[in-house]
Amino acid sequence: MKRFFYLPLFLLPGLAFGAGGFDHGTPAGRGNLDIDITINPENYFEDGQTYLVWGYGITDRLDFHGYVSHEAIGTDQVYAGLMYNFYSNDWLDLSTAVGLRERESKTDLFAPQLLYTFKLPHRFDIGGSIVYVYNLDDSFERGTTYDIFLRIPLPKSWLPSFMKDAKFAIGAFRNVSGNTNPTYSIDMKF
């Protein structure tokens, strides 16, 4: 059954045109690594991106997080920052974050950020973020981005033994220009 875990990576290229890579309010937890992957095969979708998003638990509430991405138009970007989980209970995680993004030789500040996860029964959850983006080089507001997603847990029997958890996420992302794109990712915890 574990081979079926990898199947979505190859069967979902039709969803790959969105800007994937989700951030959410649940920290990775001390010593854990969360990785979210979105693939735009061979830059097929012109508005698409290939993403790798990470969160590493420095403590149970503080993560080093970030992403690298390659846009179909050829632009690469990298973001790195710190996320702090300030509220957590059985059904909700809320976090804030601050970080810097490098894109097209420009540096953007991502702050303030509100990241959220609504925990649903049976390991399902709804999450996303609201992020204010400010260009530091030219001193102007880029605007606010929004994303929301539903994460669907993959059966534990499908997972390789080195993986703690995995979910398939599908959602929507609205960038600072106001364009909204569908998104997906495979979210893994190690």
Side-chain angles (χ1 to χ4, degrees), residues 98-165:
V98 62
L100 297 173
R101 173 183 69 174
E102 183 74 21
R103 182 179 183 272
E104 295 183 326
S105 301
K106 300 285 185 183
T107 302
D108 293 320
L109 172 67
F110 283 26
Q113 298 183 50
L114 176 65
L115 304 103
Y116 58 90
T117 304
F118 295 97
K119 302 174 218 174
L120 305 174
H122 308 290
R123 297 179 28 242
F124 285 79
D125 50 48
I126 294 172
S129 64
I130 302 167
V131 178
Y132 176 77
V133 182
Y134 185 82
N135 179 278
L136 294 173
D137 296 308
D138 300 323
S139 300
F140 73 94
E141 296 181 22
R142 287 199 188 271
T144 303
T145 67
Y146 305 89
D147 73 304
I148 187 168
F149 61 83
L150 170 66
R151 286 196 312 186
I152 303 160
L154 298 176
K156 298 241 182 199
S157 62
W158 290 11
L159 307 182
S161 60
F162 60 86
M163 201 174 289
K164 290 184 178 184
D165 195 22

Side-chain angles (χ1 to χ4, degrees), residues 47-59:
D47 292 332
Q49 296 183 44
T50 295
Y51 258 92
L52 174 75
V53 179
W54 73 83
Y56 177 76
I58 298 169
T59 71

Side-chain angles (χ1 to χ4, degrees), residues 12-24 35-41 45-54 66-72 77 79 101 110 127-129 131 145-151 168-175 179-187:
L12 297 171
L15 298 172
F17 58 89
F22 299 101
D23 231 333
H24 51 81
I35 295 178
D36 306 335
I37 297 173
T38 300
I39 298 172
N40 183 11
F45 298 99
E46 65 184 45
D47 292 332
Q49 296 183 44
T50 295
Y51 258 92
L52 174 75
V53 179
W54 73 83
Y67 68 82
V68 292
S69 92
H70 174 75
E71 299 173 27
Q77 57 182 305
Y79 163 87
R101 173 183 69 174
F110 283 26
S129 64
V131 178
T145 67
Y146 305 89
D147 73 304
I148 187 168
F149 61 83
L150 170 66
R151 286 196 312 186
F168 172 71
I170 188 162
F173 172 76
R174 181 181 175 266
N175 65 21
N179 299 324
T180 301
N181 290 307
T183 58
Y184 87 94
S185 71
I186 303 295
D187 304 348

Side-chain angles (χ1 to χ4, degrees), residues 61-74:
R61 292 193 174 260
L62 181 67
D63 278 10
F64 169 62
H65 75 156
Y67 68 82
V68 292
S69 92
H70 174 75
E71 299 173 27
I73 60 172

